[in-house]
Amino acid sequence: MRYLPLTPADRQAMLGTIGAQSIDDLFVDVPESARLSGPIAGLPMHASELAVERHMSRLAAKNLAAGSAPFFLGAGAYRHHVPASVDHLIQRGEFLTAYTPYQPEIAQGTLQMMFEFQSQIARLLGCDVANASMYDGSTACWEAISMARRVTKRGKAILSGGLHPHYVSVAKTMARFTGDQLVTSLPTLSPEPDTLDLINAIDADTSCVVVQYPDILGRIEDMSALAEACHARKALLIAVVTEPVALGAIKAPGEMGADIVVGEGQSLGVGLQFGGPYVGLFACSEKLVRQMPGRLCGETVDASGKRGFVLTLSTREQHIRREKATSNICTSSVLCALAMSVHMTLLGEKGLRQLAELNHVGASAAADRLAEVDGVELVTDRFFNEFTLKLSKEARPVVRQLADKGILAGVSLGRLYPGVEELQNGLVVAVTETTTEEDVETLASALEEVLA
């Protein structure tokens, strides 16, 4: 049944009030040549719900889904097993609220979840405080750069060559409107990140240095020396994490001196879903909390002394004076944050460490096997569950050939960095707990055939 709030009598009364005879009179300013006189050519007429479902299912069947093929895609979006209980729990009534939890008395379940999520993220990223989530990792990265400008009163941000190029692209788009100067570079097919170059580039105008951990090639670097160099010049260190499962095995960025840690939480609780929605993570040191964008949920007590939860910090211009606002971020990705929080709760600290170990062990075995293939060179020597291979041929057509064989082999650097000649043979391969030994052997055999 269609939702039509106005009756024919209501419409006639409205038309009579404005002096129009019919709805068509409202469109007299539109030239007749631009008006539709009938159905749009090439578009099907309306169909039953069952017919539409069948049609859309046929279209969907043309996709090669992650779970139906050997899957090695990563580069910021990862396939992990999401327990069925996650989907069940996020649909419980305690977490349902009308649009957004401005009225705490009817949104206690959602607010408590946000509070717990903040606690989990702060501990995971090694920071004092985390907000209730952002849109996604790329916009969280930009918000961190913008926050660094407010804190330091400087306008130059140095972005590592190992930062995901999509994150760099978002930052460049936003910097066009703020006037921030972004110093960027490209990665090299080297086992060593560009840490020394970043340290040497810091000057008195630098607001922040942005590094990814692990970076786009899967490389892992201790950030302690870089943090010290930033702080010596009164700049901030921003760390970007696109694979939070890694933090079950490697040291958290905040513990190495990062002032702001942002990232993408999709790996935990949120499926790939053909590109979204995702959930942005944002955490920082306590002294910077007043400059943090987004919203914070806090714990309090009501008039009866009972524990309750409320929004304690909302920093967008709708809530406070525009000149005091730190961001125009309008909401948080609450449903995805809830899914991530549920998944982390089900795992617990021990479970997350075990999951991380499964990922690393599987990736190490895969890297060793693929490095045995003629025409394949392993670039990354320190990695978590993602590493880069240098092929004897351009990677993009190789990836296409393997996809035609039903193997999603990885992400070619030529796709991420079109036109950059020295990166065209690079292939980023991700291995998670969903990858089997048979999958790895299938990829290795297919690579041997394609590279021969």
Side-chain angles (χ1 to χ4, degrees):
M1 181 177 178
R2 296 179 65 195
Y3 177 66
L4 299 174
L6 302 177
T7 66
D10 292 333
R11 292 194 182 89
Q12 283 305 126
M14 294 167 68
L15 290 170
T17 300
I18 63 176
Q21 296 298 313
S22 69
I23 294 291
D24 292 337
D25 290 347
L26 303 181
F27 300 95
V28 294
D29 293 326
V30 178
E32 284 197 36
S33 60
R35 300 184 209 171
L36 289 175
S37 58
I40 300 176
L43 287 184
M45 296 300 289
H46 70 276
S48 69
E49 183 175 344
L50 180 59
V52 172
E53 287 178 353
R54 286 172 174 166
H55 176 68
M56 298 305 291
S57 295
R58 285 195 296 269
L59 294 179
K62 296 180 180 180
N63 290 317
L64 181 57
S68 62
F71 187 88
F72 298 91
L73 301 181
Y78 303 92
R79 180 180 179 232
H80 290 282
H81 174 69
V82 179
S85 48
V86 172
D87 187 55
H88 172 75
L89 290 170
I90 66 175
Q91 297 180 61
R92 288 183 59 90
E94 296 93 328
F95 304 123
L96 297 178
T97 181
Y99 175 57
T100 192
Y102 290 126
Q103 297 172 276
E105 66 275 12
I106 61 172
Q108 281 299 293
T110 296
L111 287 166
Q112 181 173 356
M113 177 281 299
M114 292 165 64
F115 182 82
E116 300 292 351
F117 172 82
Q118 291 167 182
S119 303
Q120 290 170 322
I121 298 305
R123 184 171 182 186
L124 186 69
L125 302 182
C127 294
D128 298 327
V129 61
N131 70 14
S133 82
M134 309 290 281
Y135 292 136
D136 60 19
S138 63
T139 49
C141 178
W142 164 252
E143 288 290 340
I145 295 171
S146 182
M147 176 175 162
R149 181 185 69 251
R150 295 192 301 273
V151 171
T152 64
K153 305 296 190 295
R154 301 172 181 177
K156 185 171 83 171
I158 301 172
L159 277 54
S160 167
L163 179 62
H164 197 300
H166 294 174
Y167 287 45
V168 175
S169 180
V170 168
K172 286 181 176 179
T173 297
M174 298 302 293
R176 289 168 50 201
F177 305 100
T178 64
D180 285 80
Q181 177 189 355
L182 303 183
V183 179
T184 63
S185 59
L186 295 171
T188 59
L189 291 180
S190 162
E192 296 301 326
D194 55 356
T195 305
L196 290 178
D197 292 336
L198 295 174
I199 291 175
N200 293 332
I202 303 171
D203 59 22
D205 297 321
T206 302
S207 66
C208 61
V209 175
V210 186
V211 294
Q212 185 171 317
Y213 174 82
D215 74 3
I216 188 61
L217 302 188
R219 300 172 299 193
I220 299 172
E221 181 80 351
D222 189 330
M223 289 182 282
S224 302
L226 180 57
E228 291 178 6
C230 288
H231 298 156
R233 304 305 296 267
K234 299 189 182 333
L236 302 184
L237 175 60
I238 298 171
V240 177
V241 178
T242 63
E243 172 53 299
V245 175
L247 300 181
I250 60 179
K251 198 170 185 178
E255 296 175 5
M256 290 184 280
D259 301 283
I260 306 172
V261 185
V262 298
E264 175 55 62
Q266 171 272 323
S267 280
L268 290 167
V270 185
L272 289 168
Q273 302 173 113
F274 295 97
Y278 285 169
V279 50
L281 312 177
F282 199 111
C284 65
S285 58
E286 188 172 1
K287 67 180 181 180
L288 302 178
V289 67
R290 285 288 173 181
Q291 291 297 329
M292 185 168 64
R295 58 171 59 157
L296 275 175
C297 182
E299 181 182 2
T300 185
V301 294
D302 65 12
S304 303
K306 295 180 180 178
R307 185 177 72 154
F309 300 90
V310 294
L311 290 179
T312 56
L313 183 66
S314 295
T315 55
R316 65 175 174 144
E317 58 195 45
Q318 176 177 329
H319 299 110
I320 59 179
R321 294 195 305 275
R322 177 173 293 181
E323 63 272 17
K324 296 292 186 180
T326 61
S327 170
N328 68 348
I329 286 288
C330 294
T331 187
S332 51
S333 298
V334 175
L335 181 61
C336 294
L338 171 59
M340 183 180 183
S341 184
V342 170
H343 196 173
M344 284 192 291
T345 302
L346 291 170
L347 286 170
E349 180 178 344
K350 182 178 180 180
L352 180 61
R353 294 191 184 281
Q354 289 175 335
L355 177 62
E357 183 179 2
L358 284 173
N359 276 248
H360 180 61
V361 169
S364 298
D368 290 342
R369 174 64 184 95
L370 296 174
E372 296 173 355
V373 176
D374 288 339
V376 173
E377 175 188 345
L378 179 62
V379 173
T380 321
D381 60 1
R382 295 188 303 276
F383 57 86
F384 170 61
N385 68 351
E386 191 168 29
F387 50 86
T388 298
L389 304 176
K390 183 178 181 181
L391 308 182
S392 57
K393 295 181 179 180
E394 185 181 349
R396 292 194 80 173
V398 169
V399 167
R400 172 47 54 197
Q401 288 177 268
L402 293 174
D404 291 340
K405 294 176 179 289
I407 303 168
L408 298 172
V411 178
S412 64
L413 290 178
R415 178 184 176 190
L416 296 177
Y417 302 94
V420 182
E421 187 62 32
E422 57 270 31
L423 297 177
Q424 298 307 298
N425 290 24
L427 179 66
V428 180
V429 176
V431 175
T432 72
E433 75 282 1
T434 65
T435 310
T436 66
E437 293 181 11
E438 182 182 359
D439 291 337
V440 174
E441 192 57 41
T442 299
L443 174 58
S445 299
L447 267 177
E448 289 173 349
E449 181 181 336
V450 171
L451 296 177

